[in-house]
Structure formats: C-alpha cells, structure tokens
Amino acid sequence: MSKIFINQGHAPNGTPDPGAVGPSGLRESDVTFDVGNIAADYLRAAGCEVMVYQSDSLQDICDQANDWGADAVVSIHCNSFSETSTGMEIYTSRGLTRADGLASLIMDQMTGDFPQLPVRSDWSDGDVDKEAGLYVLIHTDAPAVLVELAFISNPAEEAILASLEGKRKFAAAIARGVTDWQVAS
Ligand SMILES: [Zn+2]
C-alpha cells in the first residue's frame, strides 16, 4: 500500500499566513485545506495510506513526510498574480526524477477536468512540469510535486476555487493522477 503525503499550502486557518487572497476574499490556505482533505478521501477510497498535513513551517512539512516514509508528496497551492493571469501549473525539482511522471499524470487529469484552463509550462525539458528549487521539492526524500491549481487572483478562477464542485474536481484529478502513477511505476 502506498503512502501518499498531502501538504495543504500555507498555515492552518490562515494564521499567520493565509497565502494569497482573492479579490472576493477567498484565502489560499482554505482552498488548499479543502482540496487536500477531499483528495485524501479519494486516495483512501482507492486503497492508499494518506497523511494530510498543513503547516506554516516548510521544514516541518518535509520532516513529517520524511519521518512518515512517504512514497510520494503532493503540495497543493493556488497561484496569484493579476486578475487576468490564468491557468494551472505543476512543479518538480530540477532534473529527470520519478516526480516528473507523477506531475505529468496529475496534469493530464487536471486538463481533462478543466479544459478551459490553460496549462502553464515552459516545456523546458519537453515535459509539462516546471522545474524549480522549491523547498518542499528538494528537502523531501520521496518524489514530490507542487500543484498550483489555478489563479486565485483571477475572479473567474477564484470562483472555481471557491466552489465545492471546483474543489472536488481538482481533488479527484490529483487523486487519479497519483493512482495512475502508482500503476505506471
Ligand atoms: Zn501558495
């Protein structure tokens, strides 16, 4: 049975750090909390062992995932820039790792569920993921991805992120991507 570690970006209850806040006041930390919990339910139903963890401390997140012996780490965030910024992103650490396959399979599912949202990638390695030295990606032992669901700064995307249907769809896409990856790896 695989052990899937889900990190909901930013601080529990938004204190002290809610992450980005949308034009209507939607907080990133609340969206990630819900999407992470729903994804965990789907993954448990699929037979995975799941640990869900939200913390303001990036080191804490990595320690928890590593101490628990996670097989994969998924960190969930919302993007934020301007009202017209749009789309979905997924990050892995640099270089070709097992996280690249996980990222591709999660993004495949998200694009299936949200065909109206563009995929933001630099296609630097011919792959859908963007690569960055993000803390949780380089300090976790297991393959790790960081998902930016959509732009909370864009009113239309904020509305998707605020809706239960939108959160369920993102959560289901993440869960299906993880289970597809387990089958493939
Ligand atoms: Zn964030």
Side-chain angles (χ1 to χ4, degrees):
M1 186 165 67
S2 290
K3 298 172 76 169
I4 310 301
F5 184 91
I6 295 180
N7 162 239
Q8 302 137 312
H10 304 283
N13 299 313
T15 310
D17 167 30
V21 179
S24 84
L26 183 69
R27 302 189 306 176
E28 180 182 357
S29 56
D30 296 327
V31 175
T32 63
F33 180 81
D34 288 346
V35 171
N37 284 340
I38 301 167
D41 288 343
Y42 286 128
L43 285 165
R44 289 189 181 110
C48 297
E49 197 177 334
V50 184
M51 178 170 177
V52 190
Y53 190 69
Q54 188 172 32
S55 169
D56 202 35
S57 160
L58 298 176
Q59 185 59 54
D60 233 25
I61 294 162
C62 298
D63 288 346
Q64 291 284 339
N66 294 340
D67 291 350
W68 187 57
D71 295 311
V73 174
V74 180
S75 183
I76 301 172
H77 286 258
C78 305
N79 230 327
S80 181
F81 188 65
S82 74
E83 291 206 355
T84 54
S85 304
T86 180
M88 308 178 289
E89 281 177 351
I90 191 158
Y91 286 90
T92 66
S93 57
R94 294 195 176 89
L96 189 61
T97 70
R98 290 179 64 228
D100 292 4
L102 177 59
S104 297
L105 290 165
I106 290 174
M107 189 56 89
D108 282 351
Q109 293 295 332
M110 297 209 303
T111 53
D113 274 357
F114 296 98
Q116 77 276 31
L117 296 181
V119 177
R120 300 166 63 91
S121 175
D122 49 15
W123 306 104
S124 55
D125 54 355
D127 209 319
V128 70
D129 57 88
K130 287 183 152 182
E131 303 199 332
L134 298 172
Y135 197 92
V136 295
L137 300 179
I138 57 178
H139 294 284
T140 43
D141 299 332
V145 300
L146 187 147
V147 186
E148 298 274 10
L149 302 175
F151 277 84
I152 201 168
S153 56
N154 173 322
E157 296 187 17
E158 182 192 31
I160 295 171
L161 294 167
S163 72
L164 184 56
E165 188 201 355
K167 288 186 276 199
R168 278 191 180 139
K169 281 168 70 176
F170 274 120
I174 291 167
R176 286 195 309 266
V178 169
T179 53
D180 286 351
W181 178 75
Q182 291 176 312
V183 171
S185 59

